[in-house]
Amino acid sequence: MARPIAREAAMQLVFEQLFGGEGAAETLVDLIDYVPGENDRRYIDDVVTGVREHAAQIDEQIAACLRGWTLQRLSRVDLAILRLAVYEMEYASVPVAVSINEAVELTRKYSSEESCPFVNGVLGTISRKRTAKA
């Protein structure tokens, strides 16, 4: 299973949803010429559906960690990556360190180098808050 590729595909579908798209798996073939296997398809479907269903809770966690920023001011790419990572951290069985590391790699690829410390910081803060609650 090529989880980093599936994660990248899921992020692109979450990004598409920010613009009112369906975020459907068929989009993957059109966008990145990617046909996921069964396990990857299940992961992608779970993440994209989960982000949509839990968007309010996910956005609340992200917003609570922003200093001098609002969700509306974030780039849509960064928001999609943050939503994906928070979903993985909160609702999927993905280790927190993996979610954060993969989110930073997606940021490096799709956003800007300057956004990497920002995304890492927001997710690190969310992780520490989760640990404090446990």
Side-chain angles (χ1 to χ4, degrees):
M1 175 170 24
R3 181 54 52 91
I5 295 169
R7 184 176 285 107
E8 182 175 343
M11 184 279 295
Q12 291 182 357
L13 295 178
V14 170
F15 178 77
E16 180 190 15
Q17 288 178 348
L18 288 170
F19 291 95
E22 292 296 314
E26 298 77 45
T27 305
L28 295 175
V29 177
D30 296 334
L31 281 179
I32 58 173
D33 196 26
Y34 171 60
V35 180
E38 184 60 36
N39 287 339
D40 285 352
R41 181 176 293 279
R42 190 172 22 258
Y43 164 81
I44 292 166
D45 289 344
D46 289 348
V47 168
V48 173
T49 301
V51 167
R52 183 174 35 246
E53 290 174 354
H54 299 284
Q57 298 94 327
I58 291 169
D59 285 356
E60 186 178 297
Q61 287 186 56
I62 295 168
C65 298
L66 301 177
R67 301 290 173 251
W69 286 81
T70 62
L71 286 174
Q72 294 74 26
R73 283 189 60 205
L74 295 180
S75 81
R76 299 244 174 135
V77 171
D78 292 348
L79 181 57
I81 292 168
L82 287 166
R83 282 180 172 175
L84 171 69
V86 173
Y87 175 80
E88 284 186 339
M89 291 164 59
E90 291 292 330
Y91 302 100
S93 59
V94 177
V96 170
V98 171
S99 292
I100 293 172
N101 183 59
E102 292 294 324
V104 171
E105 290 304 315
L106 286 170
T107 304
R108 187 169 283 118
K109 182 172 182 175
Y110 288 98
S111 189
S112 66
E113 195 63 39
E114 296 80 31
S115 290
C116 292
F118 173 76
V119 167
N120 188 53
V122 170
L123 294 175
T125 300
I126 290 171
S127 172
R128 286 187 295 281
K129 287 181 177 185
R130 289 179 76 238
T131 303
K133 278 195 270 184

